[in-house]
Amino acid sequence: MDAWSVLLVLGLVCVASSARTLRVPVFEEVGERIGLRKYTLAPNKTEFKLENKYWGMSLCDVNRDGRYEMILGNHGDGLEFWWADKNDNYEFQSPGLYRRDIHGTACADLDNDGDLDVIVTRGGRNGKAPGTGLILEGLPPRDFQKLEEGGGEKFGLGEQFIRGRSAAFFDATGKGDLDLLYVNRRIPGTVDDIHLFYENMGDGRFAERKLGFELTNSAWFSLVDYNEDGYMDIILMLLTSIELWRGTGRFSFVKGRGYGPLHG
């Protein structure tokens, strides 16, 4: 038996040994028990409407009671809030804001008042009617106030008409403040920047910054410190490929190369 065969046999033995001792996690469906309704087809329906699909869920302790709320963008039926109570059950609330074409959500304390606020992105009818993202200002204990048109100006978040998809708050520089990223779809017939990035100035206001990938036609992303240098990197998901953009810690990103399947 040659060396490669010996290694193969040893590898199979190790795998078999691990399989005998591996503890497989067991999950239990508890949604209905804790108040999360399960969507089922009505008796006279044979299929769900394509528009009724969920995008961009956020888990965040909105009212600072130590329990995570769930915020869901229902593409066909508006925004949904699921409030957690002291018994770890959930109560449904529909804010009744902009009933269709909701996509991403993100939570942060925009005005430093101790209560979380929510950014909500809108699709804009396949780009035919783009709109600025909604800003919901948290009002304790369980309420929100929608900022009217132009209301984002007090945070430095101007009226940006976009075909919204994903949004997230993250610390781009390691200084401890949460900056804001919008990743959007291109509006048909335009050549303008697609994505938006705002630096948190630390005083309840934001300032727009350039990213480096404003024109990359992506709609979804993930955040990870890929090279463990202390700065968040961005993985952009395109329709047929993915790209890695490395954070520099200076409010800019550089397209990565030499990362195996993430080649730029």
Side-chain angles (χ1 to χ4, degrees):
M1 183 180 292
D2 59 25
W4 287 111
S5 299
V6 171
L7 289 175
L8 177 60
V9 171
L10 289 175
L12 292 174
V13 170
C14 290
V15 170
S17 176
S18 299
R20 287 196 298 269
T21 59
L22 181 64
R23 297 184 62 184
V24 178
V26 177
F27 296 91
E28 178 186 359
E29 169 59 53
V30 298
E32 289 187 288
R33 191 173 74 207
I34 63 175
L36 298 176
R37 67 179 183 225
K38 183 181 292 185
Y39 285 94
T40 57
L41 291 173
N44 62 335
K45 301 292 184 181
T46 58
E47 62 181 359
F48 287 108
K49 290 183 178 180
L50 182 61
E51 293 84 0
N52 286 329
K53 53 191 176 185
Y54 287 102
W55 298 78
M57 179 179 75
S58 291
L59 291 172
C60 46
D61 183 4
V62 175
N63 52 4
R64 307 293 199 184
D65 65 352
R67 299 173 180 85
Y68 285 105
E69 277 71 50
M70 293 189 295
I71 304 175
L72 301 167
N74 186 330
H75 185 266
D77 197 27
L79 192 66
E80 296 183 7
F81 278 84
W82 293 85
W83 294 92
D85 64 20
K86 62 181 180 180
N87 298 315
D88 293 326
N89 296 319
Y90 284 85
E91 179 183 346
F92 172 75
Q93 177 192 10
S94 174
L97 302 172
Y98 198 78
R99 299 297 301 175
R100 300 176 65 83
D101 216 356
I102 296 294
H103 285 266
T105 61
C107 303
D109 185 2
L110 292 174
D111 48 8
N112 297 325
D113 65 353
D115 299 304
L116 290 186
D117 311 300
V118 181
I119 295 286
V120 182
T121 66
R122 301 183 294 173
R125 300 178 185 174
N126 293 320
K128 297 177 182 178
T132 192
L134 299 176
I135 300 178
L136 308 183
E137 192 168 6
L139 300 175
R142 286 191 175 192
D143 203 0
F144 284 91
Q145 172 181 298
K146 174 190 170 185
L147 298 188
E148 297 302 323
E149 186 173 345
E153 293 289 352
K154 74 175 185 177
F155 302 117
L157 302 174
E159 295 293 304
Q160 300 281 3
F161 289 93
I162 55 178
R163 188 181 175 189
R165 283 298 184 270
S166 308
F169 289 95
F170 71 101
D171 184 0
T173 62
K175 67 180 182 180
D177 294 319
L178 293 178
D179 310 298
L180 174 59
L181 171 65
Y182 289 98
V183 170
N184 312 298
R185 290 295 301 274
R186 178 179 293 283
I187 299 173
T190 68
V191 295
D192 299 329
D193 291 350
I194 306 172
H195 315 302
L196 301 172
F197 187 43
Y198 293 92
E199 175 188 357
N200 188 331
M201 306 305 292
D203 59 358
R205 290 186 59 81
F206 291 77
E208 189 173 354
R209 297 285 182 258
K210 290 295 183 181
L211 287 156
F213 58 84
E214 286 85 0
L215 297 177
T216 302
N217 195 10
S218 174
W220 307 278
F221 67 96
S222 291
L223 296 167
V224 61
D225 183 3
Y226 188 83
N227 53 356
E228 298 183 346
D229 64 352
Y231 304 121
M232 295 301 290
D233 310 307
I234 297 176
I235 298 176
L236 290 178
M237 283 157 271
L238 287 66
L239 293 179
T240 58
S241 62
I242 58 177
E243 292 181 356
L244 171 68
W245 289 78
R246 292 185 290 104
T248 65
R250 299 184 300 275
F251 297 105
S252 63
F253 295 83
V254 178
K255 192 174 183 180
R257 294 185 180 276
Y259 291 94
L262 298 177
H263 281 182

